[in-house]
Every structure is written in structure tokens, then in C-alpha cells.
Amino acid sequence: MTPTPWTDDTPHPLVPEETTPPPVADAAEPEGLPPAEAGLAPLPSQAEVKSEDEARQRRRLWAVLLALLLALCGVGFLFSRYVRRPEPLPEMLPVPVEVNYPPHFLFAFYDVNGPLGIALSPSEDRLYVTEGEGDRLVKIFDTEGNLLRAFAPPRTTAAERAPVYVAVDARGRVYVTDRLQHAIFVYDAEGNYLDTILGPDLTLSEYIAKHTGFKPRPGTFAYDWFEEEVHYQDPQGRRRTLPRPDRPTWAPLGVAFDAQGRLLVTDVALGAHRVLVFSPQVAAQDDWSDFQPEVWSFGEFGEAEDQLQFPNMVVVDALGRFVVSDGNNGRLSVWDAQGVWQMLVGTGGGGGGLNLPRGLALDARQRLHVVDAVGQVVRVYDFSEAQPEFLFAFGTAGTLSGQFHYPNDIAIASDGRLYITDRANDRVQVWSY
Amino acid sequence: MKRWMWALALMLTWLLVWERPRLARADNGPHGGYTPTTDACAGCHRAHTAVGPALLTAASSTELCLTCHGAGGTGADTDVMDGVYLQRDNTVESPAEGVVNRGLKGGGFQFARMDTGWVGDATPRAVTSAHLMDGSTGIAWGGGAWGSGPGTSMTLACTSCHDPHGNAGPGGTPTYRILRPVPRQSGATQVVLDDETPKLYTIAANDGKYFGEEYDNTLYQNLAAWCATCHDRYLAPDDSGHTDTGDPIFAYRHISQGQGCGCHNLHGGPPPTGNPEFRHDPLSCLTCHVAHGSTARMSGHAGVVPWPNGNGAPSGDARSALLRVDNRGTCELCHDK
């Protein structure tokens, strides 16, 4: 129905029309109608009909006003909530978002010095962040950026440790690679030290157990590269030492877990520059005093297509492929589930071209987020199909909100939040889709 | 309506064409080896959309260097912040370019593994003095002409001394530690330092003792001249300890470039009481100092020696002046008084 346009000659729809009062002087019954005495209810007069219409209109008006008031309250609530905790609509209203568009900057937190690695706890309520400067601690934050606590390898000073990347297994245990210590330190969710993976087939607790015949309890032993002795407590609580173990030839840098619970480590020992794949047994064990995991590797040092130079991080996509950030070669290197090289991604020009890829994270839609440390951006690729495709990039160089100054690593939560270490800005940035 | 839609379409087109990321890849090492069609330039530079000086993708060139060479060594084995070499074996390099976790020859910028106390303790410690490298401004002591005051004001970054592109020598030849023949702001004539073969990044001593480190003689002499491109008036040939330069601050100076212990050679041979183990031939700035940073500690007289501009602060350990040994151990170890 086409609405009638309102003009000066027509009554305004919201203004009651002036009507001529009905003639009442003539009290005669209208012709053709039975008299009232006949037992039938009298018909409402025109005045009564009009009164009912007006009442109905008033009710309708009140309903509209009430709806508007409620809508206003809703908008007011969302606005005040946004002011208190800025979050884009998809996060406030959890609706599936299937289109590909860059995320939005939310906020940043700053209680970190030169942050390098970052990982989320399994329940996604905690962040573990490694520091490359200052006291070089591993810090625990809640997802709003409040510092909860910090920890470091036992018996080390800031000068004796260099934590780089961090991963958390399904049980919440925290694995931190350390370049100066050439080891992976393992902690519980609170940061209490548990053990040290000294090499692909050696842990500190295993070394002590082999030499003493008893299984040491977590918290009663320690070893630091710069010492010549391993320190432990015997079952009677007496402090003892052992000669330091032979140092395995490896240099763990990146660390991650895949969906199967396999521990993935990038090793940048000279000539190696490879990816080590540990069996899920590592994450399944209660302790590592008998550490005999199945380990295999792929990759070697070099610039050729199937070689790596300072691989920083590795993830496994839904197709079972290993995707490696091949840092100094400026590309992603893709290997099949058996460790056979498949393809390079991120080479060449255009928006998908990588400068110095470091941290990697896949979201539930198989969008691979690559932190490009020198490009000062995060580049996102679609890895849901056999042939990966570049989608978009976000971030620019600088020190303002949403700008990066040599970012290094990224973690993604299932609610679409992204946590990015912004190293030279000494902060962690939080973004969201 | 149509006009509005046209405007929107134009805006979207502009965004798509101009605002898309225009970055490219770097598939090569950053320090040389560039082919005529290299893509490496785009790894760090933008020709028309650079954010930082030297057409860099970010404001700070030092942070660019530390992205690989910083603590954690995420892209290199020479961790200059910790002053250590991180590599693990010598299966590829023969001989190896260094020993794992041993101190770099230049010391470190934040920490270093130096037995400056000469007591057999090379535990990593915080440095007490270091060359500026974060883009801040300081005084290059002795910089400038005779009689021109204590020194020259300079703003230093890693790239003031090092050329990240490598091959900085004449005709594109490699230089020692990719050092520039003419350090930035020095205004000097060039001093070319031929690269060493094979490269060796760590000190020879396995106990953290930096004093007594041996260098190639030619390199050693040239290094003194190279340091003097900024610290001009510290370059002191034989007999400088007996010759008045006329400069009110740098009148008599210890030899820093010369054959043997210059004064004693002049007077007929080495001193009878000198310590032959540490008596260098020739002498150079690097006989007593490191290039990056030192953990040496200063106390007593050594901690209160005024700076060339007469100031006494900061004193104590901060007065270590990149020395290789605590206090004046560098004097005593050589002269054995």
C-alpha cells in the first residue's frame, strides 16, 4: 500500500483530526433501527467509538515509547560497556563472522620489557609472556593485562637467561626455550619449576635419576649452563651436587604444541636449522625422569627451497602440514605430515610478501597469522585449502595504539582475540575480530 | 543518490589501490650477497613509504639490529646484548667462528662474560660502561682538533660504526666486523679494516680473561686508527708519553699505536720488569679497551678519575671506560710494578 503523502490539505497522521460534533438536538430514533426496549444492546455512539480509537492510539503510542526507551537503555548499556572495555561488536555479540576483514585494536598492556614470546593457557584466562630485556622473566597476565606473577629458571640471574618462546600443553604446563641456557624449561601453570629438557633425549631429572638411583622431586634440583655442577636434594633433604651433564648439540628456539599434543621445537644449532617433532608422550607424561620420546626432524640450514635459516616457529594446520616461519629466508616453508617439503608461501612482492616472519598462530578457520617483525605488520593467510592464499595484513609501524615496533609473536583465543608481543614498544597489544 | 554512490565507489577504489599493504619480501641474508635482481632491499627499506631514516620500515635502526642480534638471538648467533656467541658446534664452519656461550671480543651492551677481576670468575654480569648504541647523544672524548676541548658531541647507533650491508671496503671488499671505513659523523678520512680470515667472534681464553687477546698485527694497528676517527686525539704513536702536544687536556698520552712498547723501544728495548705474557706488540686501543661494553669495576683512585671535561660524575664502576680489567689492572698486568 502506498502511503498517502502528507500535505497542508490532509490531516497529519499524528495530530487528531478536528471533527464536527454529531447532531444531538434531534432525539428521534434513526429510521430502520429497532427500539432499545427490544432487548438488544445499544450501538456505541460515535463519541464512544472515537474514544476507543483514541485509547487504542494512546496505548500504541505508549508501546512505541516504551520500546524506544528500552532500545535507548540497550544502546546506553552497550555504549557504557564499550567505554569501560572497548570491544568490537562481534566480541560483544558472539555471532559467527564468516567474512574476512582485519581485526580491530582493543588495548595494550605495558608491564613487560622487550616481550618476545606469548602463549595462552588451555582455559584461555592467562597469558604467558617472555621478556627479552630487563629482568628477562616469564610473566603471567590475565587477559585484561593485569600482571599476576613472574618466574625464571632457578639459580639464574638476568644475565644468565634469555627466554624466547613459550608454549603451554593441554595440562597447563609451561615450556620456555632459553637461548643462553640452550634448554627448554618446564613449569607448572603457576610458574613453579618442574624440569629442564636439556636435549632431544635428556632431561635434568632423568640425569639425576640415572646418577643417584632415585627420582628427584620437582623443586629440589636445578642446573644452569654457567655452572659446572647440578644441584639437587637427596631423599633426606641434604643438598648434593653432580658434575654437569654433557651438553647435547642443539639450540632450541621456537616451541609449540599441535592438536595431537606433539611438542614441536625449532632447532637453530649450526648446520641443523631444523624442526624437531616429539611424540605426544612428552605432554602425556607426569614427569620426565625417564625421558625417551620418539623424535624425528626435518629441514637443514641454507637458502634453497627446502632449507631453513633461523626457523622461529612452527604450527600444524588442519591438513596435517607443518608450516614453519623461515625467519632469515623471509618466507613460510610448508612441509607435509611426513616432513617432505611442499611449497613456499609469502615470497615475492605484494601484500603477502614477508620480510622477517617470526611468531605464528592459526585460528579455528585455519587463518594463519604471521608476525612480520621488520614489516611491522601481521599478515594473514588462508590455510584451509591445499593452496594457501594471502588474505590481508593489519598494523603499521609506529608507537601509537595499533602500531607496531618490531613485533615478534602472537597468540589467538577462541573468542577472536589476538595477543601480539610488540617488542620495541615494550608492550603486548590486544586486537579482536 | 547516484553522486553519493559514485563517491563511495571512488573511495573504495582508492582504498584498494593505495592503502593495501605495499611490502615485499627478503629472501636473503641481510649482510651482503646481493644479486643484481635482489629482493633483499625490501626486507628493511621502503623506497617511497619509509617510516624511519635511511628509508627503514621503522624509526629505530638499532632496534632493527637487535631484532636478530638482541638477547634471544632470534636471527643470529652473535648476541651483542649478552656479549656471547650462541652457536653450538663446528660441523659446518671449519674452523668454528666461535665457542658456544663464550664472550664476544667486543664484550656486551647489557651483560658480558668477563673475568675483569682476574680471579677466575667469568659469571655473566651487567656492564658498567658501554658505547652508546640506542641513538642517544654523548661526547666522543678526544674528538676534534688539538685544543678544541674535551671532545665532540655525537649521536650513536649500531649503524654509526657498522655497515649492515657488508662489503664496505674499496671495490666492495668485506671489512672486519662490517665496520665502516668512515664512521658516521666522524668526518675522518677512511680507515679500511680488512676482514679476518677465518672469522673468530669469541675471545681465545676459555676463562673469561679479556686482557691479552691477540689480534693480527696489521688489523691491530689499523683498529687504533679506526677508533681515532672519532677519538682523534687518543691516537698516540711512539714517544707520545714524552712529547707535549700542546693540548690543555691531552698533553701527554700513552702510546695507542706503535711497535712494541714504544717508549722502551726508544730507550733500548723492553722494560726489564714487564710481564712478557701481556706486553703487546704492537699496541692498540684494543689492548686495554673493548669495543661494545665492559663489566670492569672501578674503586679508589680508579673510580674518581675526572672525565676529560673535568666532571667527576658518574664515578665508581661507571668510570670503567670499557677497560678489560678492574681498576688499573691493564697498567699493572703489563708493567708489573
Side-chain angles (χ1 to χ4, degrees), chain B residues 136-206:
Chain B
S136 53
T137 301
I139 300 174
W141 303 119
W146 296 111
S148 63
T152 311
S153 178
M154 280 191 174
T155 303
L156 287 186
C158 303
T159 52
S160 300
C161 301
H162 300 278
D163 183 344
H165 302 109
N167 302 323
T173 53
T175 59
Y176 181 72
R177 301 293 188 268
I178 58 173
L179 288 170
R180 294 178 184 278
V182 182
R184 284 184 172 164
Q185 302 178 64
S186 68
T189 54
Q190 69 173 16
V191 178
V192 179
L193 301 170
D194 293 334
D195 200 5
E196 64 175 354
T197 307
K199 294 178 190 295
L200 184 58
Y201 293 108
T202 54
I203 59 169
N206 63 5

Side-chain angles (χ1 to χ4, degrees), chain A residues 136 179 248 270 329 350 374 423, chain B residues 23 27 67 72 82 87-88:
Chain A
R136 301 184 181 182
R179 278 286 266 154
L270 186 58
N329 281 328
V374 173
R423 179 179 62 83
Chain B
L23 307 174
D27 282 347
T67 302
D82 292 292
Q87 197 47 273
R88 284 307 325 267

Side-chain angles (χ1 to χ4, degrees), chain A residues 81-199:
Chain A
R81 188 180 162 213
Y82 181 84
V83 167
R84 281 182 285 114
R85 200 175 70 179
E87 291 170 347
L89 206 55
E91 194 167 322
M92 298 172 77
L93 307 171
V95 292
V97 179
E98 295 301 329
V99 291
N100 284 310
Y101 60 88
H104 307 268
F105 172 80
L106 295 183
F107 63 94
F109 53 91
Y110 288 83
D111 282 337
V112 284
N113 284 305
L116 290 172
I118 191 165
L120 271 164
S121 63
S123 54
E124 299 188 346
D125 59 345
R126 285 175 169 207
L127 288 161
Y128 298 89
V129 183
T130 60
E131 290 184 312
E133 295 167 22
D135 289 333
R136 301 184 181 182
L137 301 169
V138 182
K139 289 184 170 174
I140 309 176
F141 294 90
D142 66 19
T143 52
E144 297 308 308
N146 299 305
L147 179 62
L148 303 177
R149 58 175 56 85
F151 57 92
R155 297 182 66 86
T156 61
T157 65
E160 295 166 336
R161 57 188 179 240
V164 188
Y165 287 104
V166 56
V168 185
D169 69 15
R171 298 163 66 166
R173 292 178 299 196
V174 184
Y175 299 66
V176 182
T177 54
D178 194 302
R179 278 286 266 154
L180 279 180
Q181 293 287 335
H182 301 269
I184 301 174
F185 290 91
V186 188
Y187 308 85
D188 68 14
E190 303 302 316
N192 299 307
Y193 170 74
L194 296 177
D195 208 338
T196 308
I197 301 176
L198 295 167

Side-chain angles (χ1 to χ4, degrees), chain B residues 105 175-177 179 191-198 200 214-227 256-257 282-286:
Chain B
K105 287 182 179 177
T175 59
Y176 181 72
R177 301 293 188 268
L179 288 170
V191 178
V192 179
L193 301 170
D194 293 334
D195 200 5
E196 64 175 354
T197 307
L200 184 58
E214 294 291 339
Y215 291 83
D216 171 81
N217 279 2
T218 306
L219 174 66
Y220 212 37
Q221 290 228 49
N222 288 344
L223 273 166
W226 189 87
C227 297
S256 64
Q257 184 189 41
L283 278 170
S284 176
C285 306
L286 292 187

Side-chain angles (χ1 to χ4, degrees), chain B residues 241-314:
Chain B
H242 295 290
T243 307
D244 186 356
T245 62
D247 189 291
I249 300 173
F250 305 99
Y252 295 92
R253 302 159 302 146
H254 191 284
I255 180 175
S256 64
Q257 184 189 41
Q259 296 296 321
C261 296
C263 304
H264 303 286
N265 284 346
L266 194 72
H267 296 294
T273 59
N275 189 333
E277 188 182 351
F278 304 117
R279 196 186 311 134
H280 279 266
D281 186 12
L283 278 170
S284 176
C285 306
L286 292 187
T287 306
C288 302
H289 304 273
V290 293
H292 285 175
S294 165
T295 61
R297 289 167 171 162
M298 299 292 131
S299 58
H301 296 300
V304 294
V305 175
W307 300 83
N309 62 358
N311 287 346

